[in-house]
C-alpha cells in the first residue's frame, strides 16, 4: 500500500521523481541493481517514504491501547482501563504542526521537521512497531529498485486521483495505473544473468 501511495505521489510530482532517480544514479552505482547497503546514501528517497507515510499512514488509527493506571492525556483525566486510540492521520495533517499539511513537500524532512511526536507512522514507546527498520528497508529497496530499473509516467496528463478508501491499511480507492518501461540498466543486468 505504501509503495502504491509513494509511486502515485511521485507520478503527480515528476520533478521529485526525477530528483530521486538522479540521486539513485549518482550514489547507488549506474551499472548494478540497488542493494540494501545503498540506502543510507539516499536521503531524498528516504524523504519520499517519510512524506508518503505522513500523508497516508497505513495505520491511520493505531491499534487500541488501554491505560493501566489513572493518567492525564492532553489535559484530560483518563481513568484506569480506558481504551485509547491515537488518530495518526489527524496528527500528520494538523496545521498546528505542519506547514501546508496536505501538500507533498519533501523538503520538510530536510530541516528535521519530522522529529518528535507529530510524525508517528510506526506508533511510539514500548508498543511501537517492532518492524520499523525492516519495513523502512523493504519499502526503500523496492521503491528505489522500481525507480532505478524503470522509466515511469502517468497514463494521461491528468493527475492521479488520491482518494482514500475504507480499510485497515487505508487503500487507494482507484488502484494505481501507470506506464513504465525498462531502463538501460535492466537490459544489461538481464544480459549478464
Ligand atoms: C510500512 C510498514 C509498517 C507500518 C506503517 C507499521 C505500523 C505499525 C503501528 C502504527 C503499530 C502500532 C503501534 C502503536 O500502537 O503504538 C504497529 C505494531 C506492530 N507492528 Fe508494524 N508497521 C509496519 C510494518 C511491520 C512489519 C514489517 C512488521 C514485522 C516484521 C511489523 C510488526 C508489528 C507488530 C508485531 C506490532 C505490535 C507491537 C505491539 O503491540 O507490541 N510491522 N505497526
Amino acid at each position: 500500500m505504501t509503495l502504491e501511495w509513494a509511486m502515485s505521489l511521485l507520478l503527480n510530482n515528476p520533478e521529485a521523481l526525477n530528483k530521486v532517480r538522479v540521486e539513485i544514479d549518482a550514489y547507488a552505482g549506474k551499472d548494478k541493481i540497488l542493494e540494501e547497503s545503498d540506502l543510507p546514501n539516499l536521503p531524498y528517497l528516504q524523504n519520499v517514504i517519510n512524506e508518503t507515510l505522513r500523508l497516508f499512514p497505513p495505520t491511520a488509527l493505531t491499534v487500541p491501547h488501554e491505560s493501566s493506571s489513572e493518567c492525564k492525556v492532553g489535559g484530560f483525566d483518563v481513568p484506569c482501563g480506558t481504551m485509547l486510540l491515537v488518530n495518526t492521520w489527524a496528527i500528520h495533517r494538523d496545521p498546528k504542526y505542519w506547514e501546508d499539511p496536505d501538500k507533498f513537500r519533501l523538503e520538510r524532512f530536510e530541516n528535521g521537521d519530522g522529529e518528535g511526536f507529530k510524525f508517528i507512522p510506526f506508533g511510539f514507546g514500548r508498543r511501537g512497531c517492532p518492524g520499523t527498520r525492516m519495513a523502512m528497508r523493504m519499502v526503500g529497496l523496492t521503491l528505489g529498485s522500481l525507480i532505478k530499473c524503470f522509466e515511469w509516467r502517468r497514463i494521461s496528463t491528468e493527475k492521479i486521483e488520491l482518494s482514500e478508501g475504507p480499510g485497515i491499511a487505508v487503500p487507494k480507492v482507484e488502484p494505481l495505473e501507470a506506464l513504465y518501461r525498462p531502463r538501460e540498466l535492466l537490459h544489461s543486468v538481464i544480459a549478464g544473468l
Side-chain angles (χ1 to χ4, degrees), residues 2 49 53 56-65 86 88 120-136 138-139:
T2 299
I49 300 167
L53 288 171
F56 301 105
T59 332
L61 284 180
T62 60
V63 292
H65 290 265
V86 177
T88 306
I120 49 166
F122 295 99
F124 55 89
R126 278 185 297 176
R127 302 304 298 270
C129 177
T132 305
R133 290 169 74 87
M134 183 183 174
M136 288 304 278
M138 274 169 19
V139 176

Side-chain angles (χ1 to χ4, degrees), residues 24 44 70 82 111 123 167 170 190 193:
I24 292 175
Y44 203 71
E70 200 180 289
T82 307
N111 319 320
V170 192
I190 291 169
L193 287 178

Side-chain angles (χ1 to χ4, degrees), residues 132-152:
T132 305
R133 290 169 74 87
M134 183 183 174
M136 288 304 278
R137 262 178 276 172
M138 274 169 19
V139 176
L141 203 53
T142 316
L143 182 63
S145 300
L146 288 173
I147 296 169
K148 196 172 200 302
C149 297
F150 300 94
E151 293 279 348
W152 292 86

